Amino acid sequence: MDIPAVVIDRLPLYARVLESLEHEGQALVSSKELGKRLGVTPAQIRKDLSYFGRFGKQGRGYNVHHLSGELRNILGLDRPWRIALVGIGQLGRAILGYQGFSPQGFKIVLAFDSNPVIIGREIAGLKVRDVAQLERELERQPVDIGIVAVPEGNAQEVIDALVRSNVQSILNYAPMAAQAPPGVHIKRIDPVLALQSMTYYLKDTQVAPLAAS
Amino acid sequence: MDIPAVVIDRLPLYARVLESLEHEGQALVSSKELGKRLGVTPAQIRKDLSYFGRFGKQGRGYNVHHLSGELRNILGLDRPWRIALVGIGQLGRAILGYQGFSPQGFKIVLAFDSNPVIIGREIAGLKVRDVAQLERELERQPVDIGIVAVPEGNAQEVIDALVRSNVQSILNYAPMAAQAPPGVHIKRIDPVLALQSMTYYLKDTQVAPLAAS
DNA sequence: ATCTGTGAAGCACTTCACAGCG
DNA sequence: CGCTGTGAAGTGCTTCACAGAT
């Protein structure tokens, strides 16, 4: 069976709410309550979960601890994942310093850049390697995920190199639609693109001319 | 007419490619060529654009400069936008220091935090204000957009305060589904959630146990 | 001949509504 | 009686395919 990608995208949110409920000591939860917390219809939650199994009990709801574990297993969150980060500029350094990855099992194990000034330097405990050696290094030390934090103009070539190294999941911080062969999953994450689509809805309600400040 | 949100989300990508083409000096572009660059079908591009007008010429294609300008106008990218940033921790500082907003017309004009140690300090040229005063400050100096970079547990209350201050567009860095009244647009941007959905597809192809490193 | 703009068809996701179980 | 799991209906986005313009 082929599960819609939108469903997969919602699962991490479900998993996170369930973890909260677990910490709050709640044993059972209904699709209605989960839906309220998530801003999603109860039917959608039941339908989404039904792709993977029958986790609930009629008349009762879902066992929070059990469902949480099932989702973590389905998503692979119960295992560690290795990441190569490409691009150690301002953004790359922020990503390297970000404390939110490792508690969730994501570990950046390789860092690459093209700037000779920082190649060889150690940043946040990781030696920066030459991106020209990316394929060679990934052969020696494979990773599961690539994070691309290079300028837009270089992102496609970096992604191509990652794909040649059999990296199948890529998080792309460059504001462009990257091309990749089928089987490779790319997610774009760009705050400017996100803002640029929201301004569409703001056009007629702009609060004040900037010059007035 | 009500234009699908997915269409609005694609427009910034179109606008960006058109700007590249403009800089490359290309005068005309067909939906086929645009589609190739963007990994989108030509029909989708034509359909998307047709929601807003008839910008092309049959037999020729689209005038790059003209279409670029139309899209910038449709999205409101030809105007400056004011932003309030809430949460000046590690992430908030990275956002404050990010050079990518202002070239696109996004200007952070207010910074808030709840930590007494940094309230009053100046960071990246902006005085950090007390988040408890958010509504008062936004009354004096309205903004168009709010960026929320506070911990998950505080994000909803911050969003509620922004909404009370008539902020209608919010970029939320917290990894949760925030609630807001209709008319308010929230986009979530969280790298961990993005990774957590990609691992679903990786489950059976994990490269190596992390312990082996 | 080429390429747009667009109704109509096709496809995919969401919601409904209810049988069935606890 | 409450709540899940799920076919079926509903809705909305994407793709097709072609008339029409250059």
Side-chain angles (χ1 to χ4, degrees):
Chain A
M1 195 189 5
D2 219 40
I3 294 157
V6 277
V7 172
I8 306 298
D9 286 344
R10 281 191 291 266
L11 297 187
L13 282 169
Y14 298 173
R16 196 169 275 266
V17 169
L18 286 164
E19 255 179 279
S20 296
L21 291 172
E22 219 174 343
H23 282 123
E24 291 165 22
Q26 187 169 330
L28 286 168
V29 68
S30 66
S31 60
K32 190 177 163 192
E33 187 185 351
L34 265 183
K36 208 167 201 172
R37 283 247 203 177
L38 287 156
V40 158
T41 65
Q44 179 151 83
I45 289 175
R46 295 202 301 278
K47 184 64 126 183
D48 285 355
L49 296 177
S50 77
Y51 284 105
F52 302 96
R54 296 134 78 98
F55 305 121
K57 285 233 191 328
Q58 283 137 324
R60 298 191 160 279
Y62 301 89
N63 176 302
V64 171
H65 177 72
H66 178 245
L67 183 56
S68 175
E70 290 281 359
L71 285 182
R72 294 184 60 76
N73 174 253
I74 289 164
L75 288 169
L77 305 184
D78 47 4
R79 303 160 231 192
W81 297 98
R82 302 158 155 273
I83 298 176
L85 171 63
V86 188
I88 315 298
Q90 188 191 48
L91 175 60
R93 281 161 217 237
I95 293 169
L96 265 182
Y98 180 53
Q99 308 290 315
F101 288 121
S102 56
Q104 300 298 329
F106 296 101
K107 183 164 191 187
I108 298 174
V109 297
L110 284 170
F112 294 96
D113 203 290
S114 63
N115 182 350
V117 174
I118 63 166
I119 290 171
R121 272 178 54 190
E122 198 164 291
I123 295 179
L126 260 189
K127 194 174 129 200
V128 178
R129 289 152 210 270
D130 187 346
V131 72
Q133 303 295 314
L134 187 139
E135 292 178 63
R136 183 187 311 236
E137 300 277 6
L138 286 188
E139 218 170 296
R140 197 179 310 165
Q141 187 175 4
V143 300
D144 306 291
I145 298 167
I147 299 185
V148 178
V150 302
E152 185 179 357
N154 305 316
Q156 187 62 56
E157 53 181 316
V158 166
I159 287 166
D160 292 342
L162 287 168
V163 169
R164 283 194 299 273
S165 300
N166 296 312
V167 175
Q168 285 175 48
S169 290
I170 296 170
L171 192 60
N172 179 23
Y173 279 82
M176 36 88 71
Q179 310 296 309
V184 174
H185 293 263
I186 300 188
K187 293 241 177 191
R188 199 186 330 114
I189 186 163
D190 185 81
V192 172
L193 285 177
L195 292 177
Q196 286 180 333
S197 55
M198 289 201 296
T199 51
Y200 170 77
Y201 303 101
L202 284 175
K203 262 186 316 175
D204 304 317
T205 59
Q206 194 169 32
V207 294
L210 196 65
S213 76
Chain B
M1 194 188 8
D2 218 40
I3 293 157
V6 278
V7 173
I8 306 299
D9 285 344
R10 281 191 290 265
L11 297 187
L13 282 169
Y14 298 173
R16 195 170 276 267
V17 169
L18 286 163
E19 255 178 279
S20 297
L21 291 172
E22 219 175 342
H23 282 122
E24 292 165 21
Q26 187 169 331
L28 286 168
V29 68
S30 67
S31 60
K32 191 176 163 192
E33 187 185 351
L34 265 183
K36 209 167 201 172
R37 284 246 203 178
L38 287 157
V40 159
T41 64
Q44 178 152 85
I45 289 175
R46 295 201 301 276
K47 184 64 125 183
D48 284 355
L49 296 177
S50 77
Y51 284 105
F52 302 96
R54 295 134 78 100
F55 304 122
K57 284 233 190 329
Q58 283 139 322
R60 299 191 160 279
Y62 300 89
N63 177 300
V64 170
H65 177 73
H66 178 243
L67 183 56
S68 175
E70 290 282 359
L71 285 181
R72 293 185 59 77
N73 174 255
I74 289 164
L75 288 168
L77 306 184
D78 47 4
R79 302 162 232 192
W81 297 97
R82 302 156 154 275
I83 299 176
L85 171 64
V86 188
I88 316 296
Q90 188 191 50
L91 175 60
R93 282 162 217 236
I95 293 168
L96 265 181
Y98 180 52
Q99 308 291 316
F101 288 122
S102 57
Q104 300 298 327
F106 296 101
K107 183 163 190 188
I108 299 173
V109 298
L110 284 169
F112 295 95
D113 203 289
S114 62
N115 181 351
V117 175
I118 64 166
I119 290 170
R121 272 178 55 189
E122 196 165 293
I123 295 179
L126 261 189
K127 195 175 131 200
V128 179
R129 290 151 209 272
D130 187 346
V131 72
Q133 303 295 314
L134 187 139
E135 292 177 62
R136 182 189 312 238
E137 299 278 5
L138 285 187
E139 218 170 297
R140 197 179 312 165
Q141 188 174 1
V143 300
D144 306 291
I145 298 167
I147 299 185
V148 178
V150 303
E152 185 179 357
N154 304 315
Q156 187 62 58
E157 53 180 314
V158 166
I159 287 167
D160 292 343
L162 287 168
V163 168
R164 282 193 301 273
S165 300
N166 296 313
V167 174
Q168 286 174 47
S169 290
I170 295 170
L171 191 61
N172 179 23
Y173 279 82
M176 37 88 72
Q179 311 295 307
V184 174
H185 293 264
I186 300 188
K187 293 241 176 191
R188 198 186 331 114
I189 185 163
D190 184 80
V192 172
L193 284 178
L195 291 177
Q196 287 180 333
S197 55
M198 290 200 295
T199 52
Y200 169 77
Y201 301 101
L202 285 176
K203 261 186 317 174
D204 305 317
T205 60
Q206 195 169 33
V207 295
L210 196 65
S213 75

